[in-house]
């Protein structure tokens, strides 16, 4: 994926090399912070935040483009950092969030197999997309699609539980802004390198971005409201679980 080397890009986009690098650094740094924050909150609250299917999709995306199809040292270096961290997120969810599945004994009992099968199926999905769309295009399309699914799943988890355990407001801020910073980068790629990245401006991609923005903003509002209610009524136990 030589498009990550902006030296090969048109002169118009090369003028934005420093801003693009800064946006990428913020995105990677903020998401690493969120990963470690989720691990901490899982252990502290005996819960988890990221939906299980999104965990499978995300780690499968990293395996597909950071290990199977990798041909760029920067992507591989990022994979070496994010993949182990993502594994820790899954470990924390399995070991400290299992009680969230008291209502579903089958999921609770076969948590490990859920992740194994879910990740294998998700890797197959990403590989099929790469085969049909091409590796570079599938890399971006898969990332945007995963983000949309993640945003919907986060809000669904929050509303279903009616509790903020497993996450926090400042983690939402870094999760939201960490993904938001990719929007101006994608805009620059579409505007100044349309022959390579025009697909990022197609309706389905814009729809995914709208889903991310809408659901993540609503998540922040709902999280703030539920957290305020919890503080007012004292409805959190010491382990972070809601008092019946």
């Amino acid at each position: 994926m030589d498009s990550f080397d902006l030296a090969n890009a048109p002169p118009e986009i090369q003028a934005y090399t420093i801003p693009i690098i800064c946006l990428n650094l913020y995105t990677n740094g903020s998401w690493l912070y969120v990963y470690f924050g989720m691990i901490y909150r899982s252990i502290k609250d005996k819960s988890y935040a990221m939906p299980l299917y999104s965990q499978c999709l995300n780690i499968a995306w990293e395996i597909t483009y950071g290990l199977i199809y990798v041909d760029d040292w920067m992507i591989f270096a990022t994979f070496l950092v994010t993949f182990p961290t993502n594994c820790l997120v899954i470990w924390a969810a399995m070991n400290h969030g299992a009680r969230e599945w008291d209502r579903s004994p089958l999921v609770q009992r076969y948590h490990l197999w859920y992740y194994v099968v879910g990740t294998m199926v998700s890797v197959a999905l990403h590989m099929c997309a790469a085969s049909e769309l091409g590796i570079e295009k599938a890399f971006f399309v898969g990332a945007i699609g995963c983000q949309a699914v993640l945003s919907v799943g986060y809000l669904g988890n929050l509303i279903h539980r009616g509790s903020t355990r497993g996450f926090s407001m400042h983690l939402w801020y870094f999760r939201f802004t960490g993904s938001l910073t990719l929007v101006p980068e994608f805009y620059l790629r579409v505007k100044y390198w349309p022959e390579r990245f025009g697909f990022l401006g197609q309706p389905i991609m814009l729809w995914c971005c709208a889903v991310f923005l809408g659901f993540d903003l609503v998540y922040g509002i709902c999280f703030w409201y539920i957290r305020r209610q919890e503080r007012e009524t004292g409805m959190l136990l010491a382990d972070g679980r809601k008092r019946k």
Side-chain angles (χ1 to χ4, degrees):
M1 287 183 280
D2 57 353
S3 61
F4 285 96
D5 183 3
L6 293 181
N8 300 319
E12 294 82 2
I13 197 172
Q14 287 185 28
Y16 295 93
T17 296
I18 293 179
I20 288 176
I21 291 174
C22 290
L23 290 172
N24 272 277
L25 287 174
Y26 180 81
T27 295
N28 291 328
S30 61
W31 267 101
L32 269 179
Y33 178 79
V34 171
Y35 282 159
F36 284 112
M38 287 194 295
I39 294 167
Y40 169 76
R41 296 302 308 189
S42 289
I43 296 172
K44 183 176 186 296
D45 295 348
K46 306 301 180 187
S47 183
Y48 68 93
M50 185 182 291
L52 268 62
Y53 46 89
S54 287
Q55 292 179 40
C56 294
L57 279 172
N58 286 359
I59 201 165
W61 183 86
E62 292 178 355
I63 292 171
T64 303
Y65 300 106
L67 186 62
I68 298 175
Y69 291 131
V70 64
D71 61 356
D72 185 278
W73 71 268
M74 289 188 295
I75 296 177
F76 184 66
T78 303
F79 167 81
L80 291 178
V81 176
T82 58
F83 178 73
T85 309
N86 222 337
C87 288
L88 288 175
V89 171
I90 292 177
W91 168 83
M94 288 180 59
N95 286 273
H96 300 282
R99 68 171 63 192
E100 293 287 1
W101 293 96
D102 289 345
R103 65 191 181 280
S104 183
L106 274 178
V107 177
Q108 188 179 56
R109 184 178 304 171
Y110 298 107
H111 235 150
L112 176 61
W113 285 108
Y114 185 104
Y115 282 109
V116 171
V117 175
T119 301
M120 290 174 62
V121 170
S122 299
V123 168
L125 171 64
H126 289 305
M127 292 180 69
C128 287
S131 175
E132 181 173 339
L133 303 175
I135 296 173
E136 184 174 80
K137 187 175 182 179
F139 175 93
F140 287 95
V141 171
I144 295 172
C146 286
Q147 178 62 64
V149 172
L150 180 69
S151 298
V152 174
Y154 260 109
L155 182 60
N157 263 8
L158 179 66
I159 293 175
H160 176 70
R161 292 179 189 172
S163 169
T164 63
R165 60 182 178 268
F167 211 57
S168 67
M169 198 67 190
H170 75 275
L171 287 179
W172 165 81
Y173 171 80
F174 283 104
R175 177 170 64 84
F176 178 64
T177 58
S179 295
L180 186 64
T181 49
L182 291 176
V183 174
E185 178 190 345
F186 289 173
Y187 170 78
L188 291 173
R189 289 181 179 272
V190 171
K191 183 176 177 62
Y192 297 113
W193 206 349
E195 64 276 10
R196 198 73 172 264
F197 292 100
F199 68 89
L200 291 176
Q202 291 177 350
I204 187 65
M205 294 291 95
L206 297 178
W207 180 86
C208 287
C209 287
V211 167
F212 149 64
L213 287 170
F215 276 80
D216 264 25
L217 285 173
V218 172
Y219 180 94
I221 296 170
C222 291
F223 191 97
W224 170 82
Y225 176 77
I226 294 173
R227 190 73 185 100
R228 189 183 69 172
Q229 294 296 108
E230 289 172 343
R231 286 172 175 168
E232 288 178 353
T233 58
M235 292 183 68
L236 285 183
L237 298 174
D239 65 358
R241 291 178 62 77
K242 193 172 182 179
R243 182 178 286 113
K244 302 295 184 182

